[in-house]
Amino acid sequence: SSPSHSHSRQGHRPRTQDTFPPMLAGGEDGNGHLPRPRRPRRVGGMGSPSGQAASALPHPAPPPCTDYDMAYFKAYSHIGVHEEMLKDHVRTNTYRNAIMHHKDLISGKVVLDVGCGTGVLSIFCAFAGATRVYAVDASDIALQAMEIVRENELSDKVIVLHGRIEDVEIEEKVDVIISEWMGYMLLYESMLGSVIFARDKWLKPGGLILPSHASLYLAPITNSHRYQDSIYFWRDVYGIKMSCMMPLAKQCTFMEPSVETISGENVLTWPTVAQVDCYTIQAPDLETITAAYKFTSMLQAPLHGFAFWFDVEFNGPVRQKFKKQASQPLDVNMQNSNPSNKKKKADVSIVLSTAPEDAPTHWQQTLLYLFEPIELKKNQIMEGSVTISQSQQHARFLNICLKYFTGDQWYVKESVMR
């Protein structure tokens, strides 16, 4: 789906290094880069303990819409962005299956689609029997969504609103909020804040939010092919020695996070997981997330970096209510995710996964490569922490500070997802 929110996406060329004292602060803010939508080319347990939708609080004034926001929305007006999302069959079919799975909670109800894009999710909800669907998008793709709704003879059910969710007027409460808000490594683009805004302003008590929960995973990875292709390539280029290029190649290739597809074979051990509860998470919870981790390598291999991926769950409100006792809106006590833990999701209605071992999606995985690989032995322990924070100037960007300790050496990798 497309943006319907307000934060700008400008960032700073990151200050990135591999070796620092253990207590170095992470991330810097930025300036001046043009915005880029996530699609062309998203950490453990947020929410209130009750498991109920957050109570309505007085709303702050909507944030101003900056020039950077306008450029961001303009980027999402391009048809190629939406073509890529729609051609992501894992994404689109999972949303359609979730809507039909919860048909009894949608039929005869009022739905709000936050960041509707071409309106495909709104139309799915209309097919599921929704009485009325408010489809909101701040980019000009909303104009095309109006035509698509008209072409499908759904203008009496689907009302397209062209504007930010923070600015539009909706004169009734809604029973369901649906949104495809996830960015790279789940939280990139900070669109979840717009879903929170809509939830607190319009969702009826006991209403349905799709997706209802999200999990962000982190795992150490090995990827010799990537180093061979991008770094060691320079050792011999058509018989010409170019090893002097390797330091520059590492800086240019590995300074920023890389969005690419890896396989389960690249992952060195079970990931840690942090979870988000969309019923209870509050916007300030997203500003800075810090979690400790501890890994044990399952094999002897070079550590080339760390991978992030996510999944989202589409639970109904009743199922969500009894899912966990003492559920937190953002659970930052990362737990190792192993097969026995994964079985706990067997009762989940529908899951959209971007894991390396699952079918690929346009989100792929987000990799943070080290400038210098570290040789790991089997059963060697890695421990440390990860801090993910919104840029103070441009909240759609993410500052990442990854601290890790192995072999009696502390390392820090800092970067910006922009």
Side-chain angles (χ1 to χ4, degrees):
S1 296
S2 266
S4 66
H5 51 104
S6 59
H7 302 297
S8 63
R9 301 188 47 195
Q10 308 320 300
H12 183 275
R13 181 59 77 164
R15 175 171 58 86
T16 315
Q17 293 179 304
D18 265 357
T19 306
F20 282 113
M23 297 309 295
L24 183 73
E28 288 183 5
D29 296 317
N31 55 36
H33 295 286
L34 288 175
R36 177 185 68 187
R38 64 185 145 117
R39 270 52 180 233
R41 301 223 174 186
R42 339 229 122 273
V43 179
M46 303 182 187
S48 56
S50 67
Q52 298 295 312
S55 59
L57 298 173
H59 280 297
C65 188
T66 68
D67 291 342
Y68 297 120
D69 291 321
M70 297 307 296
Y72 172 71
F73 298 143
K74 184 177 181 180
Y76 265 94
S77 300
H78 194 282
I79 191 173
V81 179
H82 300 279
E83 180 180 351
E84 182 177 26
M85 289 189 285
L86 293 171
K87 285 181 176 177
D88 183 341
H89 301 295
V90 173
R91 163 200 178 269
T92 308
N93 281 328
T94 302
Y95 266 86
R96 179 169 60 179
N97 292 342
I99 289 166
M100 294 306 168
H101 183 88
H102 293 292
K103 186 176 180 179
D104 59 326
L105 298 175
I106 295 173
S107 180
K109 304 295 186 179
V110 179
V111 178
L112 173 57
D113 182 356
V114 180
C116 68
T118 55
V120 63
L121 302 186
S122 296
I123 291 173
F124 287 160
C125 288
F127 289 165
T131 299
R132 196 157 36 260
V133 183
Y134 293 99
V136 181
D137 205 289
S139 79
D140 287 346
I141 199 67
L143 305 176
Q144 300 302 316
M146 294 175 189
E147 295 298 323
I148 293 169
V149 168
R150 189 176 298 115
E151 184 176 352
N152 286 274
E153 300 180 350
L154 290 170
S155 298
D156 59 329
K157 285 191 173 185
V158 180
I159 302 167
V160 179
L161 301 176
H162 184 198
R164 300 188 307 162
I165 195 70
E166 294 87 352
D167 297 330
V168 298
E169 295 292 335
I170 299 174
E171 299 298 331
E172 61 181 325
K173 297 289 186 178
V174 303
D175 303 283
V176 180
I177 290 177
I178 190 165
S179 179
E180 198 274 75
W181 53 265
M182 302 83 70
Y184 295 132
M185 58 183 297
L186 186 66
L187 298 174
Y188 178 60
E189 292 189 330
S190 80
M191 191 174 164
L192 180 54
S194 293
V195 176
I196 294 169
F197 182 96
R199 177 200 70 195
D200 293 348
K201 188 169 184 179
W202 289 295
L203 187 65
K204 294 178 182 177
L208 174 66
I209 303 176
L210 297 176
S212 60
H213 297 80
S215 300
L216 177 62
Y217 299 87
L218 169 69
I221 59 104
T222 186
N223 194 356
S224 296
H225 175 76
R226 184 74 159 87
Y227 271 71
Q228 183 64 44
D229 189 52
S230 301
I231 307 302
Y232 303 141
F233 156 80
W234 293 101
R235 289 174 172 169
D236 185 336
V237 182
Y238 296 99
I240 302 170
K241 297 176 182 178
M242 294 192 184
S243 295
C244 61
M245 293 287 289
M246 288 172 58
L248 178 61
K250 290 176 183 177
Q251 286 287 335
C252 293
T253 306
F254 298 148
M255 180 159 50
E256 296 182 355
S258 175
V259 177
E260 57 188 85
T261 298
I262 59 173
S263 72
E265 295 178 353
N266 296 110
V267 181
L268 290 171
T269 190
W270 300 112
T272 60
V273 57
Q275 298 168 330
V276 175
D277 184 338
C278 295
Y279 287 95
T280 54
I281 183 70
Q282 296 294 334
D285 297 329
L286 302 173
E287 293 174 2
T288 299
I289 299 163
T290 299
Y293 63 82
K294 187 174 184 178
F295 295 116
T296 301
S297 179
M298 296 173 64
L299 63 158
Q300 179 173 332
L303 170 68
H304 288 118
F306 293 83
F308 295 89
W309 65 88
F310 67 87
D311 62 37
V312 294
E313 305 170 21
F314 296 82
N315 298 335
V318 174
R319 184 187 300 268
Q320 181 271 341
K321 178 179 178 181
F322 296 104
K323 185 182 173 193
K324 270 194 224 179
Q325 292 181 345
S327 169
Q328 296 298 314
L330 174 57
D331 181 357
V332 293
N333 297 313
M334 297 186 104
Q335 303 289 329
N336 278 88
S337 174
N338 56 40
S340 62
N341 285 341
K342 285 195 171 186
K343 288 177 184 176
K344 294 178 183 178
K345 288 193 176 183
D347 66 335
V348 170
S349 304
I350 305 285
V351 176
L352 168 56
S353 172
T354 67
E357 67 269 21
D358 290 323
T361 71
H362 77 278
W363 286 284
Q364 303 177 275
Q365 290 83 43
T366 300
L367 276 65
L368 201 62
Y369 283 104
L370 313 183
F371 290 140
E372 299 295 338
I374 300 172
E375 292 296 329
L376 294 181
K377 298 176 181 178
K378 186 176 181 180
N379 297 323
Q380 184 169 332
I381 292 174
M382 293 162 282
E383 56 185 322
S385 65
V386 60
T387 298
I388 302 171
S389 58
Q390 295 176 352
S391 164
Q392 292 298 308
Q393 293 181 349
H394 309 300
R396 291 197 181 96
F397 284 19
L398 294 178
N399 298 325
I400 306 166
C401 179
L402 188 66
K403 302 176 184 178
Y404 50 105
F405 179 83
T406 188
D408 298 323
Q409 176 70 55
W410 269 103
Y411 304 87
V412 173
K413 174 77 176 185
E414 292 187 292
S415 196
V416 178
M417 187 74 185
R418 64 181 181 83

